[in-house]
Amino acid sequence: MVFEKSAGAVVFRRAKNKIYYLLLRYRLGHWDFSKGNIEKGEKLKDTAKREIREETGIKDVKFIKGFKERIKYFYKFNDKNISKIVVFFLAETKTEKIKISFEHIGSEWLPYEQALKQLTFLKAKDILKKSNGFLPKAKNCAIKTAMREN
Ligand code: ATP
């Protein structure tokens, strides 16, 4: 068994008091969040920040304090069984325009319900559910203020 670990984030932005989540379409066809392998000596949040920058061009992420979730899945590659852990943070951006890298074939900003449908894997859907539930309680989130004003 080969073990892999990646880190990434559920990236969201706010427009007219609505929240939009960023989904990426991977070359293999699935829709997921921005994430990638942890480089040697790198802290998980730094990996997430770097991957978001490399995969989307977004440079202004602000991590939402207190959110850190882990999923585990298995897949096969070149006849090798791979056990993979991915740690997800939650991060806000003000950037709308995305520039995807060669690793992806599409990107979309979607409201919660649509993002939930579009995500391919159940474990990614769970992460989105947790993110969406966490945001109204988050201390350092501009959305909380926006929600109170409604
Ligand atoms: P990374 O973005 O971490 O560098 P990657 O692009 O190399 O990852 P993954 O997105 O982990 O690869 O996909 C590798 C395999 O795992 C694919 O076959 C994919 O379908 C599957 N996979 C990806 N995410 C999940 C998930 N949440 N649950 C189950 N299988 C998944």
Side-chain angles (χ1 to χ4, degrees), residues 3-149:
F3 296 91
E4 275 183 4
K5 190 169 178 183
S6 277
V10 176
V11 177
F12 70 92
R13 73 179 172 86
R14 184 165 53 106
K16 293 185 185 145
N17 285 345
K18 269 189 83 172
I19 300 171
Y20 294 86
Y21 293 98
L22 179 62
L23 302 193
L24 300 177
R25 186 158 200 210
Y26 283 66
R27 290 197 161 270
L28 294 167
H30 58 286
W31 285 91
D32 204 350
F33 306 109
S34 179
K35 62 172 172 56
N37 284 323
I38 299 158
E39 287 180 0
K40 213 168 166 232
E42 202 173 39
K43 291 205 172 109
L44 295 177
K45 263 190 187 166
D46 292 332
T47 302
K49 207 171 175 175
R50 176 180 53 71
E51 289 289 342
I52 292 165
R53 196 184 59 240
E54 289 173 5
E55 295 183 339
T56 70
I58 293 175
K59 294 189 188 106
D60 67 328
V61 287
K62 188 178 99 185
F63 289 104
I64 304 302
K65 277 188 199 133
F67 189 96
K68 187 180 178 188
E69 293 289 337
R70 219 172 88 117
I71 60 168
K72 188 173 182 182
Y73 52 89
F74 299 90
Y75 68 98
K76 233 185 165 123
F77 185 72
N78 284 347
D79 275 344
K80 279 190 203 130
N81 288 314
I82 301 177
S83 165
K84 180 160 181 173
I85 287 173
V86 187
V87 176
F88 285 105
F89 297 100
L90 178 57
E92 183 171 12
T93 180
K94 293 202 184 325
T95 307
E96 181 178 0
K97 209 169 176 333
I98 301 305
K99 195 168 177 284
I100 55 170
S101 71
F102 67 94
E103 287 179 67
H104 297 101
I105 51 174
S107 70
E108 285 202 57
W109 286 111
L110 295 174
Y112 176 63
E113 294 294 342
Q114 269 173 267
L116 204 54
K117 273 194 207 136
Q118 188 126 318
L119 282 165
T120 304
F121 297 107
L122 280 178
K123 286 177 183 174
K125 290 179 199 274
D126 278 346
I127 294 291
L128 180 63
K129 283 181 196 161
K130 285 181 180 159
S131 301
N132 201 60
F134 190 86
L135 281 180
K137 309 180 266 186
K139 277 200 178 111
N140 66 330
C141 179
I143 281 167
K144 197 179 171 192
T145 322
M147 281 175 167
R148 271 207 222 99
E149 283 164 4

